[in-house]
Amino acid sequence: MMKQAILDDENEPRGAAMLDTGDIADLFRECDPDGYTAARRRFYHEVNLNPFKRHPDQLLRLIEWSFCDWFSYECTVDASSEDDEDDEGFPRYRVGPDGDGRSPFRVAGERLHDCGRINDDQLADMRQIAETNFATMFWIHDSNAAKGRIVLEDLIRGGEYSVWCPPVAAKYDGAHGGMIVNRIAKVDGAWRPCGLPVYETRYPNTPDVRRGLIREFKRLDYHPDFPGLIRFFYGRAKDTGLDWEDMAAAMGE
């Protein structure tokens, strides 16, 4: 399923072509059920949900969609399978070892381009998304609904990003604090979200909380991957011994 935003203001970045990560995961579940199942098992093992706790359906749906994002953007395709087809022309992609080949998101986009389903500009957008996307924990420095932009600081790795996303900018209009955990990518010179938010909160939003989070992550030398971010908020954070509730309590929130 293709999703393309249409922007009318010539001063706004052009709409980036997007490919639904749920559709990509479904494609690979059909092409390579063993590889797909192994990747899904690995993801849920790393997220490390408490199996003895009843989790709300909404949370389980969030984590499943987060798996689709992780699978599409961070897993790789065995390069030898990219041109493999069955008798009906259906692809027979295989999930490859880490670091071998391109992401399912990029391979699926290139397949659509070869089939004439998307144009050159849309393919260029998808390649940029595949190359630049990353997920982290952001602190909200500013949000402006009129400009459609939200300014975010990467709390874990450092760096500030002006992100184009009118719905999110409107949701947090005027905010100078709070947190968003999500994936962004740079397309046509503009950063924008390219995944489902893992966690959002407008409060606590004080400078002390921001400084406390940065201090604790530095003290713990905490650089989680994407499953680790989900584990921090919803699972059992085995790498730090803390979860989000423990962290908030430690900071007096």
Side-chain angles (χ1 to χ4, degrees):
M1 180 185 300
M2 298 303 303
K3 294 185 283 189
Q4 184 178 17
I6 300 175
L7 306 176
D8 297 324
D9 190 332
E10 62 181 5
N11 295 317
E12 297 170 347
R14 78 164 187 259
M18 286 292 292
L19 191 61
D20 191 301
T21 59
D23 290 344
I24 295 174
D26 287 343
L27 169 65
F28 277 80
R29 183 175 59 188
E30 294 292 328
C31 294
D32 182 15
D34 292 340
Y36 170 90
T37 299
R40 192 171 184 275
R41 185 182 300 115
R42 171 188 163 196
F43 177 83
Y44 274 89
H45 175 76
E46 290 299 316
V47 168
N48 199 19
L49 287 178
N50 187 339
F52 303 106
K53 179 180 178 181
R54 180 175 176 80
H55 302 286
D57 290 343
Q58 183 178 2
L59 173 59
L60 296 177
R61 287 193 296 270
L62 168 66
I63 294 176
E64 183 63 19
W65 274 105
S66 297
F67 160 73
C68 293
D69 287 346
W70 171 82
F71 179 89
S72 298
Y73 293 123
E74 298 191 24
C75 286
T76 58
V77 179
D78 186 333
S80 67
S81 73
E82 291 184 20
D83 297 322
D84 195 12
E85 297 180 348
D86 63 18
D87 293 339
E88 297 179 356
F90 191 76
R92 294 193 293 195
Y93 301 133
R94 294 186 304 276
V95 181
D98 289 345
D100 177 25
R102 293 170 289 184
S103 69
F105 181 85
R106 177 162 178 166
V107 169
E110 290 174 347
R111 171 83 178 196
L112 289 178
H113 181 263
D114 291 344
C115 295
R117 299 272 301 278
I118 62 174
N119 60 36
D120 291 347
D121 285 342
Q122 290 172 315
L123 176 61
D125 288 347
M126 292 183 187
R127 284 174 168 167
Q128 290 180 68
I129 292 170
E131 292 170 2
T132 65
N133 79 89
F134 72 98
T136 191
M137 187 183 301
F138 292 107
W139 185 261
I140 303 170
H141 275 298
D142 184 48
S143 187
N144 190 310
K147 294 181 178 180
R149 294 187 178 275
I150 184 167
V151 179
L152 303 173
E153 176 189 4
D154 185 341
L155 287 173
I156 296 172
R157 300 169 184 82
E160 190 170 281
Y161 300 85
S162 176
V163 177
W164 165 256
C165 188
V168 176
K171 181 178 180 179
Y172 291 96
D173 188 36
H176 299 287
M179 193 161 54
I180 296 176
V181 182
N182 201 358
R183 185 182 300 272
I184 64 173
K186 193 172 188 178
V187 183
D188 193 30
W191 289 99
R192 63 191 78 205
C194 63
L196 188 70
V198 172
Y199 185 86
E200 294 180 277
T201 181
R202 194 159 181 159
Y203 302 100
N205 62 357
T206 66
D208 286 344
V209 171
R210 172 187 165 273
R211 285 191 292 267
L213 286 168
I214 294 173
R215 182 180 61 250
E216 285 299 298
F217 293 148
K218 184 176 294 185
R219 180 183 68 83
L220 295 165
D221 193 25
Y222 189 53
H223 297 88
D225 57 8
F226 185 61
L229 286 170
I230 300 174
R231 181 172 65 245
F232 180 75
F233 288 97
Y234 305 115
R236 296 179 292 184
K238 60 185 178 182
D239 45 3
T240 66
L242 294 172
D243 58 19
W244 173 235
E245 292 179 355
D246 293 334
M247 183 73 79
M251 293 186 298
E253 294 299 324

